[in-house]
Amino acid sequence: MKRSFGCIVIGAGHAGVEAALASARMGVPTLMVNYSITTIGHMSCNPAIGGVGKGQLVREVDILGGEMGRAADATAVQFRQLNMSKGPAVRSSRVQSDRMRYRAYMQEVVRYQPGLTFYAGEAVEILVGQGRVTGLRLKDGSAFDAPAVIVTAGTFLDGRMHLGPKITSGGRIGDPAALDLARNLESLGFVLRSFKTGTPPRLDGRTIDYSHLQTQHSDDVIVPFSARTRDIPSRDRLLPCWFTHTQEITHQIIRDNFHLSPMYSGQIAATGVRYCPSIEDKLKKFADKASHPVFLEPDGLDTPVVYPNGISTGLPETVQEAFVRTIPGLERAEFLCYGYSIEHAVIYAEELKPSLESKSISGLFFAGQVNGTTGYEEAAAQGMIAGINAALSVRQEAPFILRRDEAYTGVLIDDLITRGTDEPYRMFTSRVEYRLMVREDNTDERLVHYGRKFGLVSDEVCRAVDDKYARVRYLTRRLRDISAAPLEINPVLEGLGLIPLGQKMPLYDLLKRPGVTCAQITPFDGELASVPKDVLARVEYDIKYEGFILQQQKEVEKFRHLENIRIPAGFDFGAIGSLSYEAREKLRRFKPETLGQANRISGMTPAAVSILMIYLRKYFAEQKH
Ligand SMILES: Cc1cc2nc3c(=O)[nH]c(=O)nc-3n(C[C@H](O)[C@H](O)[C@H](O)COP(=O)(O)OP(=O)(O)OC[C@H]3O[C@@H](n4cnc5c(N)ncnc54)[C@H](O)[C@@H]3O)c2cc1C
């Protein structure tokens, strides 16, 4: 086996897979190191990809050439589009996947990826010389050289699992913890802290009584994640989920046993996931709620395992059995595995550049849960960026940085590196200030040129995206030239409760009226009848929201102005006496690369940013002379 690579990726979870594939596909010989080949692409928690704010990340990974969207589509047992009654800015997709098939899919992709080598073992020491990565040493004594290493160790760094009072070392159930790697990172100067997450028990579906439970089926119209998905699973391969809920008696049992929950007994001090709380957290935080929803999600096609989404817990086994069996439908449920909480170490992502490379050690990149995020999608998006940037650094090319106004991934990374996070970070649409422009439905338009630039998406996909948007632009123009006469359109307008027309009006202006859709104007332009739904939806959106989009574009221009003012490496923030001590300390710690990043550091005041801008102008003027 070769001993020398361009890039080494530690870990084969959601970040690791995307990072290794991106790097190898960019022509950099890549080594993936993971404890075992069988856990490549494993979903540690629920068998689902996407969700509000997360679906956007999956599509971004996909159009940059990543695998998550394709894997989710190929192994889906349910497709849903969320928030469809709301505006396009907050709509997201979610796929329920077959856990075993998802993993098998990823393992096959990794196995057949040219330029990617797999090695089963435990990474223990990142080799560094003169401030640069030089390779990696494994527990079995083997060592590999590489100028770039990406750490995607997930929940494994110092992982400790809690089940009631029992504490076991491990990265997740059945897997060891990465203890040596954690010590190695500390010895390299990284400060580690603990975050916590948890998972519910797994139930035997054959012992669940579904007869009185509400069912949730796949959408009728299936929209895949990936621009490259050609075959959608047939309807007979789709499965429903079921809906049930906790009861007062469930809550009583949990309350009576709070003292046995590792989060409330003082056993776990780490910060947990605010937006994916355990059932114990829910009862503490929403004490007045009489019931909490529980979604019973099938784990796959050939398994009886059911994932009860909503009751993540660290309570002891007997308490889990007692409270779960008070939930309608679960009265006789048998447990295949108990829920547990996990504490694990993360780095401070403020230590990273926007490329996800360490500020202190060149060639060392971090991606995924290890940066303080939670979720498969957040991990995959970072993995993609770290993989591309590791490859670019090996090729000695400029880093790839997505801005906040062009991608959810840009917001995710910018939030992590400029604001840091005190709790596991999960993506939401509300975090994205330019979400009218950065939506799930226009991901291909926003990002395909990057996929093309890095050679990560095929010409066929690029051409299809170009054709689609040429058609959108053509139709948008065309609707200005075609009008509807009052006699024809007034019945439609009256039906919608709108003021009828006195004279003819271009279809473009009609579409701006509230409630008027492309479907209603299609009879006035024969060409529209043959236009694909996604193209029509896009035309409608651009016309209806034109005013808002223009407003947001102006804001983006202002934002880019600050973003374009670069702060030179090594700039001496301490020398700016007119800045407060706190502002100087923060700038010294975060080392922002642009004035925009400095502006987003929490606690930086507009006055401090103005002072910094004046100093930068002075600095650049002096450099010119
Ligand atoms: C119990 C539990 C509950 C969770 N609950 C939720 C939840 O409710 N909501 C949510 O969004 N997310 C949850 N997650 C988190 C979710 O699983 C992660 O966000 C996601 O898997 C992160 O992906 P990743 O690629 O960063 O890391 P992981 O998927 O954890 O992958 C890490 C990989 O690194 C490998 N590895 C680590 N150290 C070494 C080493 N030294 N040598 C070799 N290989 C190594 C591991 O084998 C693994 O393949 C939960 C995770 C666990 C374990």
Side-chain angles (χ1 to χ4, degrees), residues 302-488:
D302 317 312
T303 165
V305 180
V306 167
Y307 177 94
N309 194 344
I311 51 167
S312 159
T313 181
L315 284 163
E317 295 95 323
T318 49
V319 183
Q320 292 190 28
E321 286 177 7
F323 86 72
V324 165
R325 290 184 182 142
T326 63
I327 296 173
L330 306 184
E331 295 85 351
R332 289 185 184 75
E334 288 298 329
F335 281 58
L336 296 172
C337 181
Y338 292 96
Y340 62 97
S341 306
I342 183 159
E343 254 184 309
H344 60 92
V346 298
I347 64 157
Y348 282 84
E350 301 94 298
E351 303 293 325
L352 305 179
K353 299 178 188 174
S355 59
L356 296 180
E357 186 180 20
S358 154
K359 285 175 182 164
S360 54
I361 300 176
S362 304
L364 180 58
F365 295 79
F366 290 82
Q369 188 107 0
V370 72
N371 286 345
T373 57
T374 176
Y376 310 139
E377 305 77 4
E378 288 81 351
Q382 293 172 67
M384 202 67 219
I385 300 301
I388 293 174
N389 277 316
L392 290 173
S393 86
V394 172
R395 291 177 358 191
Q396 300 190 337
E397 291 176 31
F400 169 48
I401 295 156
L402 283 169
R403 293 186 316 268
R404 296 183 75 88
D405 62 302
E406 62 182 347
Y408 270 62
T409 307
V411 173
L412 165 72
I413 294 175
D414 188 66
D415 277 352
L416 289 175
I417 63 158
T418 60
R419 295 176 182 168
T421 180
D422 293 333
E423 56 184 271
Y425 180 104
R426 180 208 192 279
M427 187 36 97
F428 283 109
T429 53
S430 55
R431 297 196 192 268
V432 181
E433 50 277 68
Y434 307 115
R435 61 187 169 276
L436 283 181
M437 291 165 58
V438 181
R439 309 183 305 273
E440 206 187 271
D441 69 279
N442 70 355
T443 314
D444 48 2
E445 185 187 24
R446 288 186 279 118
L447 302 181
V448 73
H449 57 288
Y450 291 122
R452 187 189 331 234
K453 177 176 165 190
F454 300 126
L456 291 168
V457 284
S458 68
D459 291 345
E460 188 198 346
V461 169
C462 295
R463 254 196 317 274
V465 176
D466 292 345
D467 291 350
K468 174 177 159 189
Y469 288 99
R471 200 154 182 205
V472 168
R473 284 190 293 276
Y474 159 76
L475 285 169
T476 310
R477 275 197 311 272
R478 181 182 163 86
L479 293 182
R480 288 182 189 273
D481 300 333
I482 299 171
S483 296
L487 214 59
E488 299 163 317

Side-chain angles (χ1 to χ4, degrees), residues 143-165:
F144 300 94
D145 302 328
V149 169
I150 308 176
V151 181
T152 70
T155 52
F156 288 64
L157 280 187
D158 277 343
R160 274 151 56 94
M161 297 178 290
H162 300 254
L163 177 51

Side-chain angles (χ1 to χ4, degrees), residues 114-286:
L116 179 57
T117 307
F118 179 82
Y119 191 91
E122 179 179 347
V124 292
E125 187 187 356
I126 297 160
L127 305 172
V128 175
Q130 293 170 341
R132 279 216 58 91
V133 155
T134 58
L136 181 73
R137 194 173 62 75
L138 275 75
K139 197 154 202 153
D140 64 11
S142 51
F144 300 94
D145 302 328
V149 169
I150 308 176
V151 181
T152 70
T155 52
F156 288 64
L157 280 187
D158 277 343
R160 274 151 56 94
M161 297 178 290
H162 300 254
L163 177 51
K166 278 188 260 174
I167 304 175
T168 330
S169 172
R172 71 184 157 217
I173 199 106
D175 281 306
L179 304 177
D180 292 347
L181 186 61
R183 299 294 76 73
N184 172 236
L185 287 171
E186 281 178 334
S187 74
L188 291 174
F190 293 92
V191 177
L192 301 182
R193 63 192 159 148
S194 252
F195 277 178
K196 174 245 148 196
T197 184
T199 198
R202 309 297 192 264
L203 306 176
D204 184 340
R206 294 166 298 194
T207 61
I208 295 176
D209 177 6
Y210 297 107
S211 56
H212 301 294
L213 303 186
Q214 218 177 305
T215 318
Q216 188 181 65
H217 290 283
S218 231
D219 287 344
D220 289 335
V221 179
I222 287 175
V223 183
F225 266 126
S226 175
R228 292 163 287 161
T229 292
R230 295 285 165 264
D231 299 318
I232 294 164
S234 60
R235 287 240 153 230
D236 59 340
R237 274 199 42 193
L238 300 181
L239 298 172
C241 293
W242 292 270
F243 174 74
T244 181
H245 51 85
T246 57
Q247 314 214 72
E248 188 42 51
I249 174 76
T250 323
H251 297 185
Q252 195 51 52
I253 296 171
I254 296 169
R255 271 191 225 109
D256 289 347
N257 289 284
F258 267 144
H259 61 289
L260 297 175
S261 166
M263 276 86 70
Y264 294 99
S265 63
Q267 196 169 299
I268 296 183
T271 321
V273 193
R274 181 197 303 232
Y275 306 103
C276 268
S278 64
I279 188 69
E280 295 95 296
D281 287 334
K282 287 183 193 172
L283 296 199
K284 282 276 183 196
K285 286 180 188 146
F286 310 103

